[in-house]
Amino acid sequence: MSIDSFLDEPSRGTGQGLDVDATLPGVNEGEIVVIRSTRRKKNVSAYRAGGRIIVSIPARMSKADERAMVPEMVAKIRAQEAAQMMSQSELAARIDELLRQFAPEITIRPTEVAWRAMRERWGSCTSLDRTIRISDRLKGAPAHALDFVLFHEAIHLEISDHGPGFKAILARFPQAELAGAYLDGYEAAETALAMPQELKKLLNK
Ligand SMILES: [Zn+2]
């Protein structure tokens, strides 16, 4: 069964007890895949795998419960995806606003703005295809800190380096110092929190 290749059970031994069930009536054929797992006692989980939504349910769950549960889980996944899409389009809208307000001479706009799991950087801009990536560490940041990073990356659409031209535009951002302090403080805290683990590694050597 090809579906096995993207199951999230890391050590399922012989693979017994995993059955790929038929899709339910009322949901798009082939998009929803229900997996009955004997390893699962109570909880139901759902996740996206390529074009499909995989719903994993306990093997003993009744057909009636399955019919009630699966559409609920599918709705949850779709709502999560919608929320993420919305926040990414909000990022793009925010960039548009920041450029209009502080750098009206820059008329170029990104083709895509997306959250990314990035530890090393706060953001990145690929001017070639005009995509901007924002570190998901900023998801809980104060608005001025997020704005500062968005503005920084947006300027890169026009100016790729950090030369005087870039700095002159960035300096128009009103809360640059405050934002910079937040970002530096966050990084310092991250480093400090990572320290014990690093020390542990050294001690174990
Ligand atoms: Zn930069």
Side-chain angles (χ1 to χ4, degrees), residues 152-153 156 162 166:
H152 178 118
E153 299 308 332
H156 279 317
H162 292 136
F166 178 91

Side-chain angles (χ1 to χ4, degrees), residues 39 47-48 50 61 63 65 72-73 96-97 100 121 130 143 146 153 165-166 169 173 179-180 184 193:
R39 296 172 57 85
Y47 56 94
R48 172 72 74 177
M61 182 179 270
K63 273 281 166 190
D65 281 349
E72 211 174 282
M73 297 304 288
D96 183 56
E97 247 177 85
R100 276 170 197 275
R121 288 190 290 179
R130 288 189 282 135
L146 175 60
E153 299 308 332
F166 178 91
I169 298 176
F173 187 81
D184 289 348
L193 287 169

Side-chain angles (χ1 to χ4, degrees), residues 130-145:
R130 288 189 282 135
T131 55
I132 287 177
R133 305 275 177 253
I134 300 297
S135 170
D136 60 4
R137 294 177 298 166
L138 285 164
K139 275 185 175 171
H144 59 263

Side-chain angles (χ1 to χ4, degrees), residues 120-171:
E120 306 301 320
R121 288 190 290 179
W122 290 111
S124 70
C125 176
T126 310
S127 50
L128 206 64
D129 61 0
R130 288 189 282 135
T131 55
I132 287 177
R133 305 275 177 253
I134 300 297
S135 170
D136 60 4
R137 294 177 298 166
L138 285 164
K139 275 185 175 171
H144 59 263
L146 175 60
D147 277 357
F148 186 56
V149 175
L150 287 172
F151 188 51
H152 178 118
E153 299 308 332
I155 300 168
H156 279 317
L157 291 169
E158 188 75 49
I159 305 166
S160 57
D161 58 24
H162 292 136
F166 178 91
K167 286 197 177 115
I169 298 176
L170 188 65

